[in-house]
Amino acid sequence: MPTPSLTARQPHVPADRLLAELVPPRHFARESFDTYRPDPDHASQAQALARLREVAGTLSRPAGRSGWFGRRRSAQAPAVYLDGGFGVGKTHLLASLAREVGTDEAAFGTFVEYTNLVGALGFGPTVEQLGAKRLVCIDEFELDDPGDTVLMSRLLRELADRGVALAATSNTLPDSLGEGRFAAEDFLREIQALAGRFEVLRIDGEDHRHRAATTHAATVPAARLREVVAARADATTDDLGELLEHLSRVHPSRYGALLDGVGLVALTGVAPVDRQDVALRLVVLVDRLYDRDVPVVVEREGLTDAGLDLFTPEMLSGGYRKKYYRALSRLGALAAEGAALAADRSAA
C-alpha cells in the first residue's frame, strides 16, 4: 500500500470553516488568565494581565446591560497592543483574552491567516463576518510586506469603525539579527489612522521557556524514517520539492485543511529553496504545522545542514528574514519532536 502524502490532497474549505478556525492554536487550548504566571521581577506582566482582565470583563457583559456591548456598540471599542520580547507570554495573554470573551464572540488568528482569509473570501465579506464579532485578535502582526500591511490596516479600521474591539501582538525570534523586540512605534506608525485608538501594554521579562533561535533541524536516516511512517496510520511522506509545487496549486487559507487527520509529516529530498514565492508558501505551511503541533521527520540523506541550507543567505538577510527565521525555528522544534519519536521507536 502506498504511503499517504500531502500532495494527494486537494482540500475544499467552505467559508464557514475558515471563520470557525479563527480560534487560539492547539498548544494554547488549556491556557487562560489563571494559568499565566507573572514574573515578580517584572511588574509589567502583572499589570498587563490585570488590564486584559478588565478588557475581557467589559467585552463579556451581556447585551442589554450598560457598558460597551449594549444595544449599540461604541465606535471607540477597546484596542490594545501587547509589546514585548520573545517568550514573555504575549500569545498566552492574547489567547486567554479571546477565550474569556468566548469563541463565538471572538476571532483569533495570525496576521497571515487574516490576509489569507481576505484572499479567500474577499475584503467586503471578511469585514461583514468579522464585523459581527465583539473582539478580533491578531497575533504576530507583520510589517515586512507593504501591501499586506496596508490591507490589514484598512481591515482594522473598518472593524474599529463598526465598534469591534481589537487586540494585537507580534513575535520575533530571540536576538534574531539583534531584533529582540518588535517596537510598538513601528506598529503604531503603520496603522496610522488607528494609532490613537490603541493602548500599548508593555510586557517586559525574560523568555520563560529559555529557548534559543536555531536554524538547525534534526534529521533521521532514511530507513528509520520509513519505519516510523509505517508504524503510524496518521503519517504522510512527501518529497519537499514536490510538496512545494503542490502548494502552488492550493490557496494558503487551505493549508490547515491539508493537514486534517495528519499526526506526523515526513519530508524527503529536502533541498534549498531559492524562489521567494515558494519560500513564503513553505513558511505558511510550517506555521500551520506548528499551530497543530504536528511533528516532522526530516530525512538525513543528502543533507549537511538542513536548517542553514533551507533558505538562501539573500533571503535570510532580506525583507522577509523574520518570517524565514521564524519558520526555521519552528521547523527545528517540530523536527526535534520527530527525531525523538524515531529514537523512541529505535529503543523499542
Side-chain angles (χ1 to χ4, degrees), residues 170-249:
S170 189
N171 278 333
T172 59
L173 295 175
D175 301 322
S176 173
L177 300 177
E179 300 166 354
R181 179 179 294 281
F182 177 98
E185 293 78 7
D186 293 340
F187 171 77
L188 297 176
R189 182 185 64 250
E190 293 300 330
I191 62 172
Q192 298 176 13
L194 281 176
R197 300 193 191 188
F198 269 86
E199 173 187 3
V200 176
L201 302 180
R202 178 76 173 263
I203 306 177
D204 297 299
E206 303 296 327
D207 179 358
H208 72 281
R209 282 163 286 189
H210 302 291
R211 295 165 297 181
T214 177
T215 58
H216 297 263
T219 59
V220 301
R224 182 72 64 217
L225 179 147
R226 291 192 293 270
E227 290 178 1
V228 173
V229 170
R232 296 185 57 134
D234 61 351
T236 62
T237 302
D238 288 276
D239 173 86
L240 181 61
E242 294 177 1
L243 177 57
L244 293 175
E245 175 63 26
H246 180 63
L247 292 182
S248 70
R249 298 186 292 272

Side-chain angles (χ1 to χ4, degrees), residues 7-243:
T7 56
R9 298 183 168 208
Q10 290 286 352
H12 171 71
V13 184
D16 56 352
R17 172 171 172 174
L18 291 177
L19 294 162
E21 290 181 339
L22 290 176
V23 295
R26 183 180 302 170
H27 47 271
F28 287 99
R30 297 184 179 180
E31 304 298 356
S32 67
F33 287 141
D34 290 338
T35 62
Y36 182 77
R37 298 288 180 262
D39 186 337
D41 293 331
H42 299 279
S44 60
Q45 294 188 14
Q47 292 165 359
L49 174 62
R51 176 58 184 137
L52 289 177
R53 283 187 184 275
E54 292 177 354
V55 172
T58 300
L59 300 180
S60 299
R61 290 173 185 160
R65 293 182 59 183
S66 61
W68 175 79
F69 197 78
R71 176 174 294 181
R72 298 184 62 185
R73 293 188 290 189
S74 166
Q76 293 298 319
V80 294
Y81 174 78
L82 309 185
D83 177 42
F86 194 75
V88 297
K90 302 186 305 298
T91 301
H92 183 154
L93 289 171
L94 195 68
S96 300
L97 175 62
R99 182 165 292 107
E100 195 74 15
V101 173
T103 54
D104 291 336
E105 300 287 356
F108 182 105
T110 63
F111 180 96
V112 172
E113 286 178 304
Y114 285 114
T115 56
N116 288 339
L117 182 68
V118 172
L121 302 186
F123 187 83
T126 299
V127 172
E128 290 300 318
Q129 294 292 336
L130 296 180
K133 301 289 186 180
R134 297 192 187 191
L135 170 70
V136 169
C137 297
I138 309 97
D139 197 24
E140 299 178 9
F141 203 98
E142 300 177 2
L143 300 176
D144 48 19
D145 187 303
D148 284 346
T149 301
V150 170
L151 173 68
M152 184 58 69
S153 180
R154 181 186 169 201
L155 177 63
L156 295 187
R157 185 172 65 252
E158 292 273 357
L159 295 176
D161 288 345
R162 291 175 178 234
V164 178
L166 305 171
T169 185
S170 189
N171 278 333
T172 59
L173 295 175
D175 301 322
S176 173
L177 300 177
E179 300 166 354
R181 179 179 294 281
F182 177 98
E185 293 78 7
D186 293 340
F187 171 77
L188 297 176
R189 182 185 64 250
E190 293 300 330
I191 62 172
Q192 298 176 13
L194 281 176
R197 300 193 191 188
F198 269 86
E199 173 187 3
V200 176
L201 302 180
R202 178 76 173 263
I203 306 177
D204 297 299
E206 303 296 327
D207 179 358
H208 72 281
R209 282 163 286 189
H210 302 291
R211 295 165 297 181
T214 177
T215 58
H216 297 263
T219 59
V220 301
R224 182 72 64 217
L225 179 147
R226 291 192 293 270
E227 290 178 1
V228 173
V229 170
R232 296 185 57 134
D234 61 351
T236 62
T237 302
D238 288 276
D239 173 86
L240 181 61
E242 294 177 1
L243 177 57

